Amino acid sequence: MRLHGKKIVVTGASGIAAAGARAATREGAVVFLISLDLEECRDLSSEIGGSAFAVADLSEEEQAEEAFESARSTLGGIDGLFAVAGGSGRRYGDGPLDEMSLEAWESTIRINGRPALVATREAVRSMRDRGGSVVLVSSVLATSPSPSHFSTHAYAAAKGALNSLTVSIAAYYARDGIRVNAIAPGLVDTPMSARAASDPKIVDYARRKQPLAAGLIAPDDVAGTAVFLLSDESAMLTGQVIAVDGGWSVTEA
């Protein structure tokens, strides 16, 4: 019960976010979900014991503010944030720089940068008088690229920005007892990675690139690190970007 009684907001309701919500609940947290998808919120809420939730597009400031106000009033404050919401920009045209439109760049930055920024801002506003822990989700691609299989340059840039944001705000809010860290996962078995998981070449690549997982990483392995960072066990950690990548960043494939 490492999160016993802690009030945790999770953004997203599938993949890593869902695994994080389940893990936090098992560890005794009171969880509030915020996601775009009503059905996913309902299903996950039911699964983890009826957690409250809000349906909102966190890239829209007004919706985000309303969702976090609902979280604050429902929970009676916020002790932790697991900010997962984001996604691939491939549907907008994210890819190699020389093939990318400005619209593809801006859309990919928007869907990854805005939700993390606004969620973190709203959580920090709630934590300044009580302290707390923020955990952002970056990507191993921000610092360990894979040009053969994952040449999504806008996505990598967006996640690199989150790494810098993590360090910068961790430095500023440490005096308020607010810790800010990020997890940089490798290739994880989630709905967002369905394209990769269905490609035998990429699956074989992941088997060699992520030897500790022998393939794609389970969302629960990322969630376990999130629980640690949200808990008092990591009380002296802030400003860190932790790679949960099965060996991706230190392994040749």
Side-chain angles (χ1 to χ4, degrees):
M1 303 295 285
R2 291 177 289 168
L3 299 178
H4 179 68
K6 289 191 181 293
K7 301 159 184 179
I8 307 294
V9 175
V10 177
T11 69
S14 65
I16 292 172
R22 294 184 193 105
T25 301
R26 287 195 301 269
E27 292 289 345
V30 182
V31 173
F32 190 100
L33 306 170
I34 303 176
S35 173
L36 267 173
D37 193 301
L38 173 60
E39 290 305 315
E40 286 183 352
C41 280
R42 283 177 173 167
D43 290 347
L44 181 57
S45 172
S46 176
E47 180 185 343
I48 62 177
S51 292
F53 63 84
V55 177
D57 181 351
L58 292 176
S59 67
E60 297 294 337
E61 189 169 33
E62 185 174 346
Q63 291 187 43
E65 289 176 344
E66 290 176 357
F68 271 87
E69 179 55 37
S70 178
R72 278 189 290 268
S73 62
T74 300
L75 298 175
I78 297 173
D79 299 310
L81 168 67
F82 187 32
V84 187
S88 170
R90 286 183 181 275
R91 64 186 181 275
Y92 303 113
D94 186 17
L97 180 62
D98 67 301
E99 300 174 8
M100 192 192 313
S101 68
L102 185 58
E103 181 180 359
W105 169 270
E106 291 178 342
S107 296
T108 305
I109 297 297
R110 178 187 178 95
I111 65 168
N112 288 285
R114 279 196 174 197
L117 174 67
V118 178
T120 301
R121 184 191 72 189
E122 294 304 306
V124 164
R125 285 174 173 173
S126 299
M127 293 175 180
R128 294 203 73 178
D129 62 348
R130 62 192 292 153
S133 176
V134 173
V135 181
L136 298 170
V137 175
S138 176
S139 169
V140 71
L141 293 176
T143 53
S144 298
S146 174
S148 298
H149 298 294
F150 299 96
S151 55
T152 46
H153 295 158
Y155 179 81
K159 294 302 187 177
L162 291 188
N163 291 353
S164 296
L165 180 68
T166 296
V167 175
S168 181
I169 61 178
Y172 188 84
Y173 291 107
R175 59 192 175 190
D176 295 314
I178 299 172
R179 300 184 295 108
V180 185
N181 295 287
I183 298 172
L187 184 57
V188 182
D189 189 8
T190 67
M192 194 183 95
S193 65
R195 178 195 70 88
S198 65
D199 186 330
K201 290 182 179 179
I202 295 180
V203 172
D204 181 62
Y205 176 79
R207 193 175 295 115
R208 291 177 283 117
K209 188 67 171 167
Q210 300 182 155
L212 297 183
L216 275 67
I217 297 167
D220 285 346
D221 290 324
V222 182
T225 302
V227 165
F228 168 68
L229 292 173
L230 290 166
S231 76
D232 294 338
E233 291 180 347
S234 60
M236 294 298 110
L237 268 69
T238 194
Q240 305 303 305
V241 179
I242 300 174
V244 181
D245 64 5
W248 177 298
S249 56
V250 293
T251 302
E252 291 184 325

